[in-house]
């Protein structure tokens, strides 16, 4: 079930890769790893999405929750069906149970984020709070924080410069 997802992993690695993965900054969100998890495996763990949407000519995404309150979205490459992005926001769905591979989830504090990931590579102020960004190669991990609430959203994605 959803409760034990932090212990589940939706990608297969050999022991060597697993040792290296411990030091990786990005890791997983909800057991989902960019480029390695297949969208069909996401569905087998999280169930049928509320909706399947088109994002671009290259990618679609699964949406879990309501149209106006979609706290969990998983983007994938249409051609090879690997995950290319994950968005988790506070909402009424399962998002509060989803954690990163370093145990961070919604409503954790900024201090807990820094204890797990170190100082962010960049920080931006926006109307919806502060955004803290960790970068590894071409992968981003972002945490959005609202004062008094802690982390209210987590994004992981492949980006192109």
């Amino acid at each position: 079930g959803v409760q034990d997802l932090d212990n589940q992993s939706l990608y297969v690695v050999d022991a060597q890769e697993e040792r290296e993965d411990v030091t990786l900054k990005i890791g997983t969100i909800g057991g989902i790893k960019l480029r390695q998890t297949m969208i069909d495996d996401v569905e087998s763990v999280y169930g049928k999405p509320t909706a399947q949407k088109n994002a671009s000519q290259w990618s679609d995404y699964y949406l879990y929750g309501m149209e106006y309150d979609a706290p969990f979205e998983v983007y994938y490459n249409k051609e090879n069906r690997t995950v290319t992005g994950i968005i988790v926001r506070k909402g009424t769905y399962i998002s509060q149970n989803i954690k990163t591979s370093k145990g961070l989830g919604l409503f954790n504090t900024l201090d807990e984020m820094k204890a797990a990931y170190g100082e962010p590579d960049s920080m931006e102020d926006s109307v919806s709070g502060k955004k803290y960004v960790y970068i590894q190669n071409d992968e981003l991990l972002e945490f959005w924080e609202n004062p008094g609430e802690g982390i209210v959203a987590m994004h992981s994605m492949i980006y192109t410069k």
Side-chain angles (χ1 to χ4, degrees):
V2 171
Q3 307 307 339
D4 48 343
L5 280 170
D6 4 336
N7 307 325
Q8 264 188 47
S9 192
L10 295 185
Y11 64 100
V12 181
V13 289
D14 64 30
Q16 178 61 35
E17 275 185 283
E18 203 153 19
R19 275 197 303 280
E20 289 168 9
D21 194 48
V22 176
T23 63
L24 292 185
K25 220 185 275 182
I26 306 299
T28 63
I29 292 184
I32 302 169
K33 187 164 178 62
L34 296 177
R35 289 194 174 92
Q36 291 185 26
T37 301
M38 307 295 284
I39 193 65
D40 309 301
D41 295 329
V42 172
E43 190 172 339
S44 71
V45 171
Y46 289 97
K48 224 167 171 34
T50 313
Q52 188 173 349
K53 301 275 190 184
N54 178 258
S56 72
Q57 88 182 69
W58 302 279
S59 80
D60 283 345
Y61 65 98
Y62 279 9
L63 180 146
Y64 291 89
M66 311 302 277
E67 287 294 328
Y68 56 88
D69 174 29
F72 184 41
E73 295 170 13
V74 184
Y75 290 75
Y76 64 95
N77 178 307
K78 282 185 196 176
E79 205 172 281
N80 64 20
R81 298 187 65 75
T82 58
V83 172
T84 56
I86 305 147
I87 297 175
V88 181
R89 302 182 191 88
K90 68 176 188 168
T92 54
Y93 200 63
I94 57 173
S95 57
Q96 63 272 24
N97 297 311
I98 297 174
K99 307 261 186 256
T100 70
S101 44
K102 294 192 178 188
L104 216 63
L106 298 180
F107 308 113
N108 274 116
T109 65
L110 214 51
D111 288 342
E112 290 166 326
M113 176 195 80
K114 287 180 180 174
Y117 289 93
E119 286 298 320
D121 295 308
S122 73
M123 192 201 94
E124 288 171 34
D125 278 306
S126 76
V127 283
S128 52
K130 285 188 185 327
K131 177 171 80 169
Y132 299 89
V133 183
Y134 294 90
I135 301 166
Q136 183 174 313
N137 303 323
D138 64 348
E139 294 180 6
L140 290 182
L141 178 60
E142 301 176 340
F143 295 100
W144 295 75
E145 182 242 4
N146 282 350
E149 270 191 296
I151 293 167
V152 293
M154 305 183 292
H155 300 179
S156 183
M157 69 202 79
I158 297 166
Y159 77 100
T160 46
K161 289 181 177 136

